[in-house]
Amino acid sequence: MADAAKAEGNKAFSAGRFDDAILHFSKAIEFAPDNHILYSNRSAAYASLQRYDAALADARKTVEIKPDWAKGYSRLGAAHLGLGDVDQAVAAYEKGLELDPASDALKSGLADARAAMAKPRVPPPQGASPFSKIFQGPELWTKLTADPTTRGYLQQPDFLNMIRDIQRNPNNLNMHLSDPRMMQVIGVLLNVKMRESTDGMASETSEPEQVKSHPEPAKKVPEPEPEQQSEPMEVSDEAKETKQIKAEAQKAKEAGNAAYKKKDFETAIQHYTRAMELDDCDISYLTNRAAVYLEMGKFEECIKDCDKAVERGRELHSDFKMIARALTRKGTALTKLAKNSKDYEPAIETFQKALTEHRNPDTLKKLNEAERAKKELEQEEYFNTELADEEREKGNELFKQQKYPEAVKHYTEAIKRNPKDPKVYSNRAACYTKLGALPEGLKDAEKCIELDPSFSKGYTRKGAIQFFMKEYDKALETYQEGLKLDSSNQELLDGVRRCVQQINKTNRGEISPEELQERQAKAMQDPEIQNILTDPVMRQVLIDLQENPKAAQDHLKNPQVMQKIQKLMAAGVVQMR
């Protein structure tokens, strides 16, 4: 259950749906509360939504569970940096680099944190206590509740008012330092044990620096003594041998790269294998050999090398980009082996894992391609002309019984089984027309014509729907297009006659003002009508029709102008008497 929820979370994260990712990762944590990767992934999702408080909590949980995992400190540094705590961010990134000195992600994060540290900081308000910042953090009430001493203070109204006063105005902290409870609170928030002094004031005993209400006189800092230059350390024979072996492995890798470029794959494999035998602490030799196997079409061998690279990379705390590269190559090999839609599922899951390690555009592209291929195969696997015909006949029977919604369901199933059958689209268009779902019916009629331009029934369906939508000019064009294919089709001829009657009726002004207004409003939404009315030449023609009949007659001799005028007349925009 945890793996399934995690996979869904990775998928949502890869698609940029961070809220959904958080829900899935939270569900996975319920099943596996000790899995550090789940907290790390959820921290990344929170950080993507700039919810850095929550990201920080998850990052801390990550390093608590797995303190030797470098990536956890990358999450911790990002959360601290998001909250503006630059010093803590630098410390987190440095800790991570101690575990994994080669990590580009940690190096980049540390550079960003140091750059933020170098920016000039706004000095605190004059008179503000250096402790005022600790009262603004998100963990204030949590720490006070957890400590047995301060927990009792939370039941005292005057204590709560004192804390809230400091939160509203940090400068007021110095006013409350005479209260022994305040000194105890400072100790808890700073994680420092406090004891009662002889004068009743709490003082610090566990740290070298003491917290006092009055600063002591500054002591003179002694001049630093010059450092003694240390003797150069001798390099052991073992270290020299290790360095030499790594150099030989790198040389073998470069030879493998050269052979790969020449498409001498067998030689490349020999060099990469030699590099691996010399130095098993660099997974790039494995990922490079996997790339060769991929080119050679040895997909199973490619997958084995990628799995080894990921496993060894985890042990060595290798850079996230290297692990992501291995996962991407494995996903590519899995797509090459896929023979049905089900086979694409492990490939898609592998690409999603790669994206959680490192968000690479090429990996995202491969993920999208795999998902698209899976969908297309699912449609092909569902294709069955015999079952499609059965569903269509069921739809026809229900249509005759005037059970149109039920008929639509069977026609839809028939389309899924055989999406290339124009008759099913025509029949479903008829159902939609009966149900008054004219836009859906129009789409089906247009799809019917697209699949078979010679199928006259598609034109009668489309023309009828356009007529019901009171788009008489468009309906007339559709019927005339159908008559070019079947000049004796009675349905098409009747459609032309009805359209002409309505257009003439409009031209004679024999329609109600409401209907005219409705038709004009609909016409104004038509891009073709908009283009005609904004054309400077046509605007002059329309002016001449009203003011200069002689000039208008000359304009109407132009076939293109006349066609546009007829278009406007059919739409009810202009009338000619």
Side-chain angles (χ1 to χ4, degrees):
M1 294 295 289
D3 289 340
K6 176 188 171 187
E8 288 297 318
N10 292 344
K11 183 176 181 181
F13 187 94
S14 301
R17 295 182 284 105
F18 303 118
D19 285 320
D20 292 343
I22 289 168
L23 292 175
H24 290 302
F25 290 139
S26 299
K27 185 176 180 181
I29 288 170
E30 291 178 6
F31 293 107
D34 295 325
N35 188 324
H36 62 285
I37 295 176
L38 297 177
Y39 289 100
S40 172
N41 290 2
R42 192 171 69 174
S43 177
Y46 277 130
S48 299
L49 293 172
Q50 298 184 359
R51 294 170 59 182
Y52 296 113
D53 286 344
L56 180 60
D58 274 357
R60 284 176 171 164
K61 186 67 176 178
T62 302
V63 299
E64 176 189 327
I65 297 173
K66 188 76 171 172
D68 60 344
W69 193 48
K71 191 169 184 177
Y73 295 94
S74 177
R75 301 293 192 217
L76 190 62
H80 278 306
L81 193 59
L83 289 169
D85 195 346
V86 182
D87 294 334
Q88 291 292 333
V90 169
Y93 286 126
E94 289 177 341
K95 176 65 176 176
L97 285 169
E98 290 176 11
L99 298 169
D100 184 6
S103 171
D104 290 337
L106 286 164
K107 290 177 183 177
S108 176
L110 181 59
D112 291 341
R114 285 176 173 167
M117 182 183 287
K119 293 181 180 179
R121 301 185 183 182
V122 180
Q126 188 173 0
S129 168
F131 295 135
S132 58
K133 183 179 179 181
I134 62 176
F135 289 87
Q136 308 300 323
E139 298 178 354
L140 168 69
W141 300 108
T142 304
K143 287 186 176 182
L144 294 182
T145 304
D147 187 88
T149 304
T150 55
R151 187 185 306 135
Y153 297 162
L154 298 177
Q155 306 300 322
Q156 303 170 13
D158 64 325
F159 174 80
L160 296 175
N161 291 334
M162 180 168 60
I163 296 294
R164 293 187 182 113
D165 180 51
I166 295 169
Q167 288 182 322
R168 286 192 298 269
N169 188 353
N171 293 336
N172 291 344
L173 174 61
N174 292 335
M175 296 167 50
H176 299 290
L177 288 177
S178 59
D179 191 322
R181 295 174 299 179
M182 183 53 61
M183 297 305 295
Q184 192 68 34
V185 166
I186 291 174
V188 169
L189 296 180
L190 292 175
N191 295 322
V192 174
K193 292 184 179 180
M194 309 293 285
R195 64 176 174 81
E196 292 294 324
S197 62
T198 55
D199 60 355
M201 291 290 290
S203 62
E204 182 180 339
T205 61
S206 61
E207 294 291 334
E209 285 187 6
Q210 294 187 349
V211 180
K212 297 184 178 181
S213 56
H214 300 288
E216 293 182 354
K219 295 180 181 180
K220 184 177 179 181
V221 180
E223 293 291 328
E225 295 182 3
E227 295 182 1
Q228 296 293 329
Q229 186 172 357
S230 59
E231 294 293 325
M233 189 172 65
E234 293 185 3
V235 180
S236 66
D237 292 338
E238 184 179 350
K240 288 180 180 179
E241 184 181 356
T242 301
K243 185 176 181 181
Q244 184 178 356
I245 289 173
K246 286 185 176 293
E248 290 180 17
Q250 190 64 28
K251 188 176 180 181
K253 176 185 175 182
E254 291 171 0
N257 293 346
Y260 178 80
K261 290 178 181 178
K262 295 177 183 178
K263 297 190 179 299
D264 185 358
F265 298 136
E266 294 293 346
T267 302
I269 286 175
Q270 292 175 10
H271 287 302
Y272 290 138
T273 303
R274 174 60 180 160
M276 289 160 50
E277 292 170 351
L278 291 168
D279 180 12
D280 67 344
C281 293
D282 187 341
I283 65 171
S284 67
Y285 309 142
L286 272 168
T287 57
N288 283 13
R289 192 173 71 173
V292 179
Y293 282 135
L294 189 64
E295 286 288 333
M296 296 175 70
K298 295 183 177 181
F299 305 124
E300 296 290 353
E301 287 84 349
C302 172
I303 292 169
K304 288 178 183 177
D305 272 2
C306 290
D307 285 338
K308 290 178 185 176
V310 172
E311 182 181 357
R312 186 63 177 144
R314 302 282 191 212
E315 295 172 357
L316 297 169
H317 306 295
S318 299
D319 183 53
F320 313 133
K321 291 181 181 178
M322 292 296 298
I323 294 175
R325 185 180 301 169
L327 288 167
T328 300
R329 283 190 180 148
K330 177 184 177 181
T332 304
L334 287 168
T335 61
K336 299 292 184 182
L337 291 170
K339 296 179 180 179
N340 53 56
S341 61
K342 203 77 175 173
D343 290 343
Y344 274 95
E345 291 179 2
I348 290 169
E349 184 180 353
T350 303
F351 286 135
Q352 289 168 349
K353 287 180 180 178
L355 288 169
T356 61
E357 295 291 338
H358 175 63
R359 192 166 179 81
N360 182 281
D362 182 59
T363 305
L364 183 60
K365 180 182 177 183
K366 289 179 182 293
L367 170 62
N368 293 334
E369 289 173 350
E371 289 177 336
R372 185 164 55 250
K374 179 177 181 289
K375 185 176 180 181
E376 289 173 357
L377 275 176
E378 285 174 341
Q379 291 176 345
E380 291 177 11
E381 291 163 0
Y382 205 70
F383 184 87
N384 188 313
T385 55
E386 292 182 3
L387 292 177
D389 290 342
E390 289 178 12
E391 292 293 333
R392 189 185 70 217
E393 289 303 320
K394 290 177 183 178
N396 292 345
E397 288 298 320
L398 290 166
F399 184 89
K400 293 175 183 176
Q401 299 171 25
Q402 299 183 0
K403 296 179 179 179
Y404 305 121
E406 293 84 352
V408 167
K409 290 180 181 178
H410 287 285
Y411 288 139
T412 302
E413 181 63 22
I415 288 171
K416 290 179 181 178
R417 292 289 185 182
N418 183 8
K420 301 296 184 182
D421 185 358
K423 295 178 182 178
V424 189
Y425 285 100
S426 172
N427 292 2
R428 193 170 69 170
C431 268
Y432 280 136
T433 304
K434 293 290 186 180
L435 292 169
L438 300 182
E440 290 81 359
L442 183 61
K443 287 180 183 178
D444 273 3
E446 289 174 341
K447 185 67 177 179
C448 171
I449 295 172
E450 176 190 329
L451 292 172
D452 186 1
S454 64
F455 185 45
S456 59
K457 199 69 175 178
Y459 296 94
T460 60
R461 298 288 191 217
K462 182 179 178 181
I465 293 170
Q466 290 170 326
F467 186 88
F468 286 128
M469 296 174 75
K470 299 182 180 179
E471 295 178 350
Y472 304 122
D473 55 324
K474 292 183 179 180
L476 179 60
E477 291 176 5
T478 300
Y479 286 131
Q480 289 173 338
E481 195 69 28
L483 285 170
K484 292 178 183 177
L485 303 169
D486 186 0
S487 58
S488 60
N489 187 293
Q490 192 59 47
E491 283 188 85
L492 294 171
L493 291 169
D494 290 341
V496 169
R497 178 179 53 77
R498 289 196 306 272
C499 290
V500 171
Q501 287 177 348
Q502 286 296 329
I503 292 171
N504 290 338
K505 189 176 178 182
T506 302
N507 292 338
R508 293 192 298 268
E510 296 177 359
I511 60 175
S512 67
E514 292 79 11
E515 186 178 353
L516 179 61
Q517 185 177 359
E518 179 186 350
R519 290 186 57 191
Q520 289 176 342
K522 187 176 294 186
M524 290 303 179
Q525 298 174 10
D526 188 336
E528 188 177 355
I529 298 293
Q530 293 173 3
N531 289 333
I532 294 173
L533 293 176
T534 54
D535 183 353
V537 174
M538 287 304 301
R539 289 171 66 181
Q540 185 59 49
V541 170
L542 294 175
I543 293 172
D544 288 343
L545 284 172
Q546 297 178 26
E547 301 176 357
N548 191 346
K550 185 177 180 182
Q553 292 299 321
D554 294 334
H555 290 311
L556 295 177
K557 294 177 183 178
N558 185 325
Q560 294 181 344
V561 171
M562 188 60 190
Q563 184 180 5
K564 292 179 180 179
I565 292 293
Q566 288 175 342
K567 182 79 176 177
L568 295 176
M569 290 169 59
V573 176
V574 299
Q575 294 183 11
M576 292 183 64
R577 298 183 181 180

